[in-house]
Amino acid sequence: MKLVGLSGAIMGSKTAILVDEVIKRSEKLGADIEVELIDMKDYKVEIIDGRPSDQYNDDTKTIIKKIVDADFFVVGAPIYQASIPGVLKNLFDHLPMSVFESKVVAMVTNGGTERHALVAENQLKPILSFFKAIVCPTSVFVTSGAFNDKNEIVDENVSERLDRLAEELVFLQTKLSN
């Protein structure tokens, strides 16, 4: 089973750290899980403008193929101005409508204050539902205070929630695969 973690941020590192933590924890739970982190900072995804998919740059085509080929996902997003980043929404606009159909997707988000804690439920989950994803009932929101100055997760509660999310993700995917 191929688990892809998608960090939908092009600034900072906290989102990628959270996504990477979930995929690493998931990998430990299943011997047959292959993982890959897609950090949008590493790709230059073009703005969608209606061209056929094969006419976009190599980075855009590469990231779309990696997502299409995956079996299940962790999607991470920083929350800016009470919303997911435009670069993540742009990527979603590039994807075929069936990309997440009947595939399990976990959500992790991070933001500066607790006021952004429900953005995943109010914005990201409806997008994933549109794509017919099986969205994990649990999601994890983390504030900057959970990290130390070296961007390491130091909040034990956050670590426990990431463990539970990984367990839920692998459990649902395993049940679906069987």
Side-chain angles (χ1 to χ4, degrees):
M1 294 184 296
K2 176 73 180 233
L3 170 60
V4 164
L6 173 62
S7 173
I10 57 170
M11 294 175 42
S13 59
K14 290 179 178 72
T15 304
I17 290 166
L18 289 170
V19 172
D20 196 44
E21 281 294 319
V22 176
I23 64 173
K24 285 178 182 174
R25 292 164 195 236
S26 298
E27 186 177 32
K28 291 178 183 174
L29 296 171
D32 63 338
I33 297 175
E34 176 189 345
V35 300
E36 180 175 3
L37 174 64
I38 298 173
D39 190 341
M40 289 194 64
K41 278 192 289 193
D42 300 332
Y43 296 88
K44 301 290 183 212
V45 177
E46 290 184 285
I47 300 293
I48 191 161
D49 61 11
R51 284 178 278 162
S53 296
D54 63 346
Q55 293 180 12
Y56 287 93
N57 67 18
D58 288 342
D59 277 358
T60 304
K61 291 186 281 192
T62 297
I63 200 169
I64 291 168
K65 178 160 178 30
K66 288 174 184 266
I67 293 170
V68 167
D69 290 347
D71 298 306
F72 62 133
F73 305 87
V74 178
V75 175
I79 307 303
Y80 305 128
Q81 306 295 343
S83 184
I84 64 171
V87 294
L88 182 58
K89 177 61 171 85
N90 179 63
L91 176 60
F92 286 148
D93 290 342
H94 276 285
L95 299 175
M97 287 182 57
S98 62
V99 70
F100 297 123
E101 188 170 348
S102 300
K103 295 181 180 182
V104 181
V105 180
M107 302 181 298
V108 293
T109 52
N110 58 291
T113 71
E114 294 289 343
R115 290 183 284 167
H116 300 302
L118 293 176
V119 171
E121 289 294 320
N122 292 323
Q123 292 184 17
L124 187 53
K125 188 174 184 180
I127 293 169
L128 295 171
S129 295
F130 169 81
F131 282 111
K132 296 180 178 45
I134 299 169
V135 181
C136 288
T138 302
S139 64
V140 175
F141 173 80
V142 179
T143 62
S144 300
F147 295 87
N148 65 16
D149 59 352
K150 296 177 186 171
N151 279 338
E152 300 166 326
I153 299 169
V154 293
D155 185 321
E156 278 302 312
N157 179 270
V158 169
S159 186
E160 290 169 9
R161 290 188 291 138
L162 293 172
D163 281 338
R164 284 195 305 271
L165 182 60
E167 290 167 4
E168 186 176 282
L169 175 66
V170 172
F171 173 80
L172 290 171
Q173 180 61 32
T174 302
K175 290 295 182 185
L176 187 63
S177 295
N178 293 338

